Amino acid sequence: MELTTDEQIRMVNGQSFFGMGELPHKGVPRIQMLDGGTGLNFEQLFGDIMEKAERPEKGTAVFRKVLENFYQPDLLDTKEEVGLYNWLCEQLRAIIPEMTAPGCYPPGMLLGATWDPETVYQVGLALGHEARAYGVHVLLGTPNINLHRDLRAGRLFEGYSEDPYLITKLAPELVKGVQSQEVAANVKHFAANNQETNRQGINEIISERALYELYLPGFEACVKAGCATVMAAYNKINGTACTENKWLLTELLRDDWSFEGLVMSDWGAVYDPAAAVNAGCDVNMPGPVSPEPLGKAISDGTLEPEKLAISAERAAALARKYALPPTGHIDMEMTDHAAYKAAAEGIVMLKNSPCFAGSEKKCCPLPASSKIAIMGSNGGKLLSCGEGSACVRTNRATDLCTELRRHFADVRLGLYDEADTVIYVLNVAGQEGNDRKTLCIDNEEIQRICELSGYADKHYMRSVLILNTSGPVTGSVFDLWDAVFWVSLPGMQGAAAIADILCGNVSPSGRLPLSFPYSEDHMPTYLNFPGDGMTVNYGEGVFVGYRYYVTRRCRNTEADYARYCFGCGLSYSTFEVHDLRVESGDIENGLELTADVKNTGEVAGKTVVQVYVHDPVSTLTKPVCQLCAFQKVYIVPYQTVTVHLHVDRRSFESWDPDLHAWTLEDGEYVLKATVEDANAIDWSDPFGIILRYDGESPYSWGEHTSVKEIYEDHELKPALYRFIQAHSLSWETVLSTYQYTAMDSIGKLLNNMGCSDEAYDEFIGTLRQMRHLKR
């Protein structure tokens, strides 16, 4: 289809705050976009409806009052408020006659804690189903997969994990679920958008290796899963804005990863419209965007006409495929179940100790006869979602007090004389646009928690702390309570899920997708966040999260900086894994593993088998271990089941920044399995699978091997000495080279010494024959 230049410009410029351009006369309908990954954002939907109708109330106090009380219209006071409310209801009924409220689903952080791809898929399906009901064509942030780099990041709760492998196995399932409902998924923020401080234009200095190993894999996996759209981020990477970064948006995304969909900007992330289109950013959001800058750029030659034409056609193609009419109906049973399952699978039990001295009976599950007093930061109420674009307003949320009353004899808000159990809900919100200043709990909150836990101890009460937080918190509060649960921001069914866990109907099975440090100054990013002015240096490199904590502890057993490490999570039962073995395959082509897992307790439940890879000796500096496979499994008491796991070649590779390529080093690798966490494995213990890769690599011993490596190896140094003596060459030259230019290659040294071609080939051959010694 031929588009004029003006039509092309219209298609690549947003036309409303959440709407793309349309060309009805050429069969191109309007694309309606909306956040997001935790449910439909009514503030955005209402705002866009009002903008299209040119309603003047958008952004006013009247609009805010109506939005905040949409499900409690009796609280609206003025004629203007009631009038706007009635008008919005009319607009909604035209879209969804049943007026079913959108659901609120757990964010990426809690989905990451499920360690269960199927659960994530079901949430994606529910999100896509509700988007179709409301006539939303592109659901933004499905998923948001920016890595958990620093725990103070304001949008930490939206991301999945500190581990790129876990992200690659979970996030694509949300894409598949959303798009199964004929709604375009949107993966954001591409790339490395890991903080809110100065997010618009912050220049992130990131090593090439960290980019490829940590910050890009999740995006690549979602592209391979067929995501329809990608959102380019606000930030710069090594000096170039993401929206203007040809390497990022064209060479990597399209040429290397074969992405065929549409790239849109984050809202207000285009700083140079022509440069953005030239780089591969197809649509500039939000609208309305003036056509003048691109028109001028076409005239003066700074905008490449063919790039404009391609981007316009991509936008038109997206509209033709996904701009479908609303179905107008939400299956509440299906969507409620998806939200419940995600919360129930993701909630993590961090502590469960006996309540009373001399007793072996643990605090949870609580007896049905329990008389419970609920208290907390917000009167014991759960925060179901974060603020900003991830905020979902709904009347479908469950209530903690109500849900507990379904299971227990007496549940009340506040302390009362007959209570034998106290539950404290600690709320810590997360918000787009603002990073957390600290992981520490507010002093007044700490005082309340200490006083209450002391009261419970004095009166022989069970005590349960619920961490309803947008990320980890630090402090001694964990030590004061009998049981501790991390529910994150659990969505509309969070109260129902934690109630079922507390009563024992569900055994907790969530595992941490990120580590909880003892103190925020123990984080590897502590001195590199949020940067100086408009620049932040990712100085920790590839040592993010458990990669740092486990490596530090392995080097020094007293350097235990993680209170709860990645992969941690308790159950009402106990499990053990043994006999990890290779069934087929090899390092180069991928491995098929099996392991036996036994439920050694008296309660049926789920555990997560985690397999980590360790490279004992490597040319590139590596973390002690990295997750390479996992499987969540349900087991009845005393039963042993066999789990099957796949480990691909990439798990053994590293990105070499000098070669600009993935490399697989020859030598030994070790695989070990655990049902605990990343810090629980003793890598000095010989237990595990030892594998060997003998293929050629850039690091194989040969003419490029450094004098330093040869001189410092107890087998190679004598071999070199014997060779030098046998050919009457100067050992003093070797000593001098080692002292002053030790990184010179052995080939360079031999040539400088005047070694004959025959002798040169002899020693290089010796090196290659000895490569079996490499560990």
Side-chain angles (χ1 to χ4, degrees):
M1 179 184 67
E2 286 292 327
L3 300 179
T4 66
T5 298
D6 288 344
E7 289 172 336
Q8 291 171 354
I9 291 175
R10 180 173 177 80
M11 290 306 301
V12 302
N13 283 337
Q15 297 304 307
S16 69
F17 210 78
F18 286 95
M20 284 171 48
E22 59 183 323
L23 299 170
H25 61 289
K26 290 193 173 178
V28 180
R30 177 183 184 273
I31 279 282
Q32 175 69 58
M33 295 184 275
L34 211 67
D35 280 297
T38 53
L40 300 183
N41 186 312
F42 257 20
E43 179 176 8
Q44 297 173 354
L45 180 63
F46 289 170
D48 218 44
I49 290 173
M50 292 167 67
E51 183 180 351
K52 286 186 291 183
E54 298 183 350
R55 293 280 301 205
E57 300 96 333
K58 182 181 177 182
T60 66
V62 170
F63 174 58
R64 176 60 54 187
K65 184 75 174 291
V66 172
L67 180 66
E68 292 176 351
N69 297 283
F70 191 76
Y71 300 108
Q72 297 175 296
D74 292 344
L75 298 179
L76 300 177
D77 300 317
T78 69
K79 179 181 178 180
E80 290 79 7
E81 292 166 2
V82 173
L84 178 59
Y85 169 79
N86 289 333
W87 183 82
L88 285 170
C89 286
E90 290 177 10
Q91 308 311 306
L92 281 185
R93 287 193 187 96
I95 300 171
I96 182 164
E98 299 167 357
M99 288 282 285
T100 309
C104 179
Y105 299 87
M109 179 179 286
L110 197 63
L111 296 182
T114 68
W115 290 62
D116 184 39
E118 176 59 26
T119 294
V120 179
Y121 177 83
Q122 292 300 323
V123 170
L125 189 153
L127 288 167
H129 173 77
E130 293 197 1
R132 280 283 284 123
Y134 273 88
V136 175
H137 310 127
V138 178
L139 199 55
L140 305 175
T142 52
N144 179 340
I145 52 172
N146 292 122
L147 194 84
H148 293 161
R149 174 182 175 252
D150 188 288
L151 305 179
R152 294 164 289 185
R155 302 183 78 169
L156 188 82
F157 65 94
E158 294 184 52
Y160 278 60
S161 178
E162 68 186 21
D163 180 73
Y165 180 82
L166 184 61
I167 295 172
T168 65
K169 297 305 174 185
L170 298 183
E173 296 303 313
L174 199 79
V175 171
K176 296 174 185 176
V178 168
Q179 295 191 171
S180 74
Q181 302 301 296
E182 299 180 287
V183 173
N186 173 256
V187 184
K188 68 180 187 181
H189 307 87
F190 192 52
N193 185 178
N194 303 108
Q195 65 185 66
E196 296 302 282
T197 303
N198 294 327
R199 64 175 178 165
Q200 289 189 302
I202 186 76
N203 183 24
E204 301 170 342
I205 308 303
I206 314 175
S207 72
E208 185 178 304
R209 184 178 174 200
L211 271 173
Y212 275 93
E213 292 193 14
L214 299 186
Y215 299 104
L216 296 176
F219 291 99
E220 182 180 10
C222 288
V223 167
K224 301 301 184 187
C227 67
T229 70
V230 169
M231 182 185 291
Y234 286 121
N235 52 281
K236 297 177 181 177
I237 296 177
N238 298 327
T240 304
C242 289
T243 55
E244 302 168 19
N245 195 322
K246 183 180 179 182
W247 166 78
L248 185 71
L249 302 183
T250 297
E251 295 173 13
L252 180 72
L253 181 63
R254 296 196 183 279
D255 297 344
D256 292 352
W257 296 350
S258 302
F259 178 64
E260 297 181 350
L262 178 130
V263 175
M264 67 181 68
S265 74
D266 202 341
W267 270 226
V270 169
Y271 312 117
D272 183 329
V277 174
N278 286 337
C281 184
D282 300 310
V283 175
N284 180 359
M285 292 298 297
V289 177
S290 170
E292 184 176 342
L294 290 185
K296 183 176 183 299
I298 281 285
S299 299
D300 64 23
T302 55
L303 173 57
E304 301 174 44
E306 63 275 14
K307 297 290 180 63
L308 175 63
I310 290 171
S311 288
E313 181 51 44
R314 286 178 186 142
L318 184 78
R320 293 191 202 101
K321 181 173 182 179
Y322 287 104
L324 304 174
T327 63
H329 171 71
I330 290 177
D331 182 341
M332 290 183 61
E333 182 179 357
M334 181 272 286
T335 54
D336 283 352
H337 176 73
Y340 173 84
K341 181 174 172 59
E345 295 280 349
I347 290 171
V348 181
M349 183 165 70
L350 295 173
K351 181 182 178 182
N352 192 23
S353 59
C355 306
F356 313 114
S359 172
E360 294 184 357
K361 184 173 178 57
K362 295 184 177 180
C363 178
C364 292
L366 301 172
S369 59
S370 297
K371 298 179 179 181
I372 300 172
I374 303 176
M375 302 181 71
S377 312
N378 187 31
K381 293 185 179 295
L382 286 174
L383 300 174
S384 58
C385 63
E387 294 299 319
S389 56
C391 180
V392 179
R393 300 180 188 275
T394 183
N395 62 1
R396 294 168 59 186
T398 53
D399 173 74
L400 181 60
C401 190
T402 302
E403 294 299 325
L404 288 172
R405 284 172 178 163
R406 301 182 194 278
H407 305 292
F408 299 101
D410 190 359
V411 181
R412 306 184 204 177
L413 293 173
L415 279 176
Y416 59 102
D417 291 342
E418 297 84 3
D420 58 22
T421 303
V422 61
I423 295 176
Y424 192 89
V425 180
L426 174 64
N427 309 119
V428 176
Q431 181 179 344
E432 178 180 4
N434 288 282
D435 292 320
R436 292 168 64 186
K437 290 183 174 62
T438 177
L439 301 184
C440 299
I441 302 168
D442 178 82
N443 287 334
E444 292 183 4
E445 186 97 65
I446 291 176
Q447 184 176 350
R448 287 196 298 270
I449 290 173
C450 291
E451 290 175 354
L452 188 58
S453 62
Y455 178 90
D457 188 55
K458 181 179 179 181
H459 291 82
Y460 301 99
M461 301 172 70
R462 302 177 192 88
S463 61
V464 179
L465 178 64
I466 295 178
L467 300 176
N468 178 208
T469 63
S470 58
V473 294
T474 58
S476 60
V477 294
F478 302 96
D479 303 324
L480 304 176
W481 296 77
D482 299 325
V484 179
F485 292 87
W486 180 64
V487 304
S488 182
L489 303 171
M492 62 184 176
Q493 289 289 324
I498 188 61
D500 280 349
I501 288 173
L502 289 172
C503 76
N505 285 353
V506 173
S507 179
S509 63
R511 298 293 182 267
L512 288 181
L514 75 176
S515 303
F516 281 45
Y518 281 99
S519 170
E520 62 189 43
D521 58 5
H522 288 160
M523 293 189 297
T525 56
Y526 181 68
L527 295 177
N528 290 311
F529 181 93
D532 296 317
M534 294 302 295
T535 300
V536 58
N537 180 29
Y538 283 38
E540 69 285 347
V542 297
F543 289 90
V544 171
Y546 77 91
R547 284 167 159 75
Y548 172 78
Y549 298 123
V550 175
T551 301
R552 284 297 303 267
R553 191 177 187 190
C554 192
R555 302 289 187 262
N556 176 9
T557 56
E558 295 182 0
D560 183 11
Y561 293 157
R563 180 186 291 272
Y564 299 113
C565 197
F566 172 84
C568 172
L570 303 176
S571 166
Y572 290 148
S573 195
T574 54
F575 301 88
E576 61 182 30
V577 59
H578 54 87
D579 199 17
L580 180 67
R581 54 200 181 271
V582 177
E583 291 295 311
S584 62
D586 54 37
I587 289 176
E588 188 170 14
N589 300 295
L591 296 163
E592 302 302 326
L593 309 178
T594 56
D596 296 328
V597 193
K598 183 177 182 180
N599 184 336
T600 57
E602 300 177 351
V603 177
K606 295 180 180 179
T607 190
V608 178
V609 180
Q610 305 162 42
V611 179
Y612 293 86
V613 60
H614 168 60
D615 186 355
V617 179
S618 60
T619 300
L620 295 172
T621 303
K622 293 183 182 181
V624 164
C625 66
Q626 297 175 194
L627 182 71
C628 63
F630 66 90
Q631 180 70 49
K632 197 168 195 177
V633 58
Y634 175 83
I635 315 177
V636 300
Y638 310 115
Q639 182 186 24
T640 297
V641 300
T642 299
V643 297
H644 299 266
L645 307 112
H646 174 77
V647 182
D648 58 26
R649 173 190 172 112
R650 180 61 59 83
S651 295
F652 300 95
E653 293 181 320
S654 296
W655 183 267
D656 190 309
D658 294 324
L659 300 173
H660 309 294
W662 289 101
T663 57
L664 176 59
E665 184 167 10
D666 51 311
E668 289 183 353
Y669 297 86
V670 181
L671 297 177
K672 291 191 178 185
T674 181
V675 289
E676 296 180 58
D677 59 60
N679 225 358
I681 299 173
D682 180 3
W683 292 103
S684 65
D685 190 310
F687 166 78
I689 297 174
I690 299 177
L691 302 168
R692 184 169 184 87
Y693 174 65
D694 283 322
E696 287 287 338
S697 84
Y699 318 108
S700 298
W701 287 338
E703 60 185 338
H704 299 295
T705 304
S706 71
V707 173
K708 176 181 174 65
E709 185 172 358
I710 294 174
Y711 191 89
E712 293 177 357
D713 187 278
H714 71 282
E715 298 277 1
L716 297 184
K717 181 181 178 181
L720 177 61
Y721 183 79
R722 291 193 296 271
F723 170 80
I724 293 295
Q725 294 296 106
H727 292 274
S728 301
L729 299 173
S730 171
W731 183 249
E732 291 300 319
T733 302
V734 175
L735 296 177
S736 178
T737 301
Y738 177 72
Q739 183 174 2
Y740 294 107
T741 57
M743 296 309 297
D744 280 357
S745 69
I746 186 63
K748 178 180 179 180
L749 172 66
L750 295 179
N751 283 326
N752 288 345
M753 295 173 69
C755 184
S756 68
D757 292 344
E758 293 78 7
Y760 182 99
D761 292 341
E762 176 190 332
F763 186 71
I764 300 306
T766 299
L767 280 181
R768 288 174 175 153
Q769 290 172 11
M770 296 179 72
R771 63 196 303 268
H772 69 279
L773 299 172
K774 194 173 183 181
R775 291 289 185 263

